[in-house]
Amino acid sequence: MICDNLSIVNGQLHFAGQNTVTLAKQYGTPLYLLDEDYIRRQCRVYKAAFQKHFGPGAKPLYASKANAFRRMYQIMTEEDMGIDVVSPGEIYTAYSAGYDLSNAYFHGSNKTDGDIAYAMDCGVGCFVADNREELLAIEAECARRGTRQQVLLRLSPGIDPHTYEAVATGKVDSKFGVAIETGQAEELVLFALELPHVDLAGFHCHVGSQVFGEDIFQRAAVIMLEFIAHLEHTHGFKTAQLDLGGGYGVAYTEADPHLDVEEKVAEVAAAVKKTCTRLGIAMPEIHMEPGRSIVAAAGMTLYTVGAVKRITGYKNYVSVDGGMVDNPRYALYKSAYTCYLANKMDEVQDFAADVVGRCCESGDILQPDVMMSASVERGDTLAVCTTGAYNYSMASNYNRLPRPPIVMLHHGESYVAVRRESFEDLCRNDM
Ligand code: LLP
């Protein structure tokens, strides 16, 4: 099976050691499940790999855009993980969960003055500034408060990560960061160094997401370190921190490779150390920001099958009680997923159907051409695997559909971490 937290017992799909058919009955569908033990394991794997290969100061930061809600930030506190946040909403959620925001890095390519002030109110440790206007706004807010702010500058190393276009972010013409190649990055560094309330601690880059390319991170690291060495040799500026962003790919189907996190971190560390030696610079403190690779495989979404439409001579549709509202990734990116008929795992899977959602759109497709048992019928439980990243965090209320709850699975127990939205929740802000 595509992840080691899946198994089949008596023809039924089990996830994190628990029967998904039973969970669907107990909590109702659609239902997000999250394997808490898997999330904690991934955090520990990253942390151990960072300490081992980059040394004591190095740290992984959970990119909370992948899946953000209070319990997740509590788990990050308990696992002693840094985090990356991108909005005042994420900051508020983390803050209200008791997360110590001095361990947070605040991203985003267009932070408003209000965002900047709010992040400072909440004690966010480091801002990742994207552009000149933002540096000025940070400087102005600090001047008003009489404080200083640690800042990293986001650079674009000019690398094509060979992932889908919507998530490729490190190319020279990207909307994110400032390009090294054009000389604008160097100009901005010199500008930042003149700002009295800005402490420039180093640099950040993020080449993209769902990246499998063999040496993408090593190439990004080399480009960043060459820039860092140039700054040191030309301007005497010593870089304290280098953040190489997130992006490691995860296996959604059997066709995807499985990346070994420890091995990947070791490869990047080897390239970083070798390059620092070649360039005659000290190794900065290294950070990375994994999101998907920490939570994606920890997730599963359960649905109940409704209409099964067999259009003779054409195709088949299996409709479920959720869809693009709780998982817009196929509609947006044509993302592949593995789906199972959770209560009929032992039956021959010789029936091909598009698994579609309940929204009033032909594009509301969760996954085309899924093979399943021909006995599929109303009431069956359909599981979509690997939905822990960018599903709940990208969910909407289109068609006035309430968002599903998140149920955490931990040591053989289950508990609600986010409750199901009610109709009243949908109307909460209606005057
Ligand atoms: N750091 C920065 C600055 C980022 O922009 C991102 C993701 C990450 C870290 C985490 O990357 P990860 O390890 O999760 O790949 N909605 C898209 C993914 C967008 C990713 C945006 N940035 C999807 O559903 O595939």
Side-chain angles (χ1 to χ4, degrees):
M1 304 194 82
I2 53 157
C3 191
D4 60 8
N5 52 2
L6 295 168
S7 58
I8 301 169
V9 182
N10 297 329
Q12 304 203 320
L13 181 65
H14 283 227
F15 183 54
Q18 302 192 41
N19 187 330
T20 59
V21 182
T22 311
L23 288 165
K25 285 208 180 76
Q26 184 180 348
Y27 293 101
T29 58
L31 172 66
Y32 294 119
L33 298 176
L34 271 184
D35 177 352
E36 180 175 333
D37 302 321
Y38 182 93
I39 295 171
R40 290 181 185 276
R41 209 158 55 235
Q42 289 303 91
C43 291
R44 289 170 198 181
V45 167
Y46 264 108
K47 278 188 61 188
F50 266 62
Q51 312 264 295
K52 179 168 166 200
H53 298 292
F54 288 122
K59 57 181 174 193
L61 315 171
Y62 168 60
S64 57
K65 63 177 79 65
N67 204 340
F69 54 96
R70 284 191 181 138
R71 182 68 191 130
M72 187 67 91
Y73 290 109
Q74 287 165 357
I75 292 170
M76 292 305 144
T77 299
E78 288 160 16
E79 294 301 326
D80 194 23
M81 289 284 288
I83 57 167
D84 125 12
V85 289
V86 290
S87 72
E90 286 185 358
I91 291 171
Y92 172 79
T93 311
Y95 184 80
S96 65
Y99 186 86
D100 173 4
L101 283 152
S102 66
N103 296 315
Y105 287 69
F106 184 21
H107 285 274
S109 58
N110 192 17
K111 303 174 186 73
T112 67
D113 291 351
D115 296 348
I116 289 168
Y118 183 65
M120 288 182 188
D121 288 345
C122 294
V124 166
C126 188
F127 281 52
V128 183
D130 183 273
N131 51 64
R132 180 182 294 260
E133 291 87 343
E134 199 172 294
L135 276 174
L136 279 171
I138 295 168
E139 169 63 25
E141 188 58 32
C142 285
R144 217 174 351 262
R145 292 168 186 245
T147 53
R148 296 173 66 82
Q149 180 61 55
Q150 189 187 70
V151 169
L152 302 184
L153 271 188
R154 177 158 181 171
L155 307 180
S156 92
I159 284 185
D160 181 351
H162 304 298
T163 180
Y164 47 108
E165 194 58 29
V167 296
T169 47
K171 297 198 266 183
V172 175
D173 60 357
S174 162
K175 86 167 178 183
F176 298 101
V178 50
I180 295 177
E181 187 186 302
T182 60
Q184 285 161 300
E186 184 170 353
E187 266 171 47
L188 200 57
V189 172
L190 299 180
F191 176 74
L193 290 175
E194 294 301 314
L195 299 174
H197 299 87
V198 165
D199 282 331
L200 184 64
F203 304 100
H204 169 274
C205 68
H206 172 75
V207 292
S209 198
Q210 188 62 357
V211 173
F212 285 111
E214 279 285 297
D215 59 348
I216 299 286
F217 289 90
Q218 288 89 308
R219 280 169 46 212
V222 169
I223 292 169
M224 296 293 282
L225 288 165
E226 282 175 347
F227 178 70
I228 285 168
H230 169 74
L231 290 179
E232 184 166 333
H233 298 144
T234 318
H235 307 290
F237 175 71
K238 284 192 196 305
T239 297
Q241 296 182 26
L242 172 60
D243 183 336
L244 294 169
Y248 284 128
V250 305
Y252 285 95
T253 69
E254 301 287 356
D256 294 326
H258 279 270
L259 294 186
D260 180 326
V261 167
E262 143 99 60
E263 203 176 280
K264 289 284 134 191
V265 171
E267 284 169 12
V268 177
V272 166
K273 285 176 190 159
K274 189 170 148 209
T275 309
C276 288
T277 308
R278 168 169 68 82
L279 298 169
I281 54 170
M283 183 170 77
E285 189 177 294
I286 303 290
H287 304 161
M288 285 178 101
E289 300 160 341
R292 192 189 309 267
S293 52
I294 290 184
V295 289
M300 172 183 285
T301 310
L302 297 178
Y303 303 96
T304 300
V305 171
V308 178
K309 195 165 283 185
R310 297 172 167 88
I311 308 177
T312 314
Y314 289 88
K315 66 191 297 183
N316 306 312
Y317 288 101
V318 169
S319 294
V320 297
D321 53 355
M324 65 188 287
V325 276
D326 55 77
N327 181 359
R329 296 191 69 258
Y330 182 81
L332 278 173
Y333 319 119
K334 299 267 175 291
S335 302
Y337 279 100
T338 300
C339 307
Y340 297 115
L341 214 47
N343 57 320
K344 294 181 172 166
M345 296 298 288
D346 281 351
E347 296 184 14
V348 182
Q349 324 268 306
D350 58 357
F351 179 75
D354 285 9
V355 175
V356 296
R358 60 176 294 173
C359 287
C360 305
E361 292 219 17
S362 300
D364 182 8
I365 299 168
L366 277 172
Q367 202 56 208
D369 295 319
V370 175
M371 294 308 294
M372 62 182 86
S373 163
S375 75
V376 58
E377 62 190 340
R378 190 177 183 89
D380 284 345
T381 302
L382 190 129
V384 179
C385 301
T386 330
T387 57
Y390 306 111
N391 273 229
Y392 173 69
S393 61
M394 293 176 75
S396 76
N397 290 123
Y398 183 46
N399 283 190
R400 220 55 169 168
L401 290 166
R403 268 176 276 244
I406 299 178
V407 165
M408 309 292 289
L409 308 178
H410 181 46
H411 289 336
E413 308 273 324
S414 62
Y415 66 92
V416 177
V418 176
R419 68 169 170 73
R420 186 180 298 283
E421 277 180 344
S422 65
F423 297 140
E424 186 51 37
D425 289 334
L426 295 174
C427 297
R428 201 172 35 218
N429 299 324
D430 299 5
M431 303 300 276

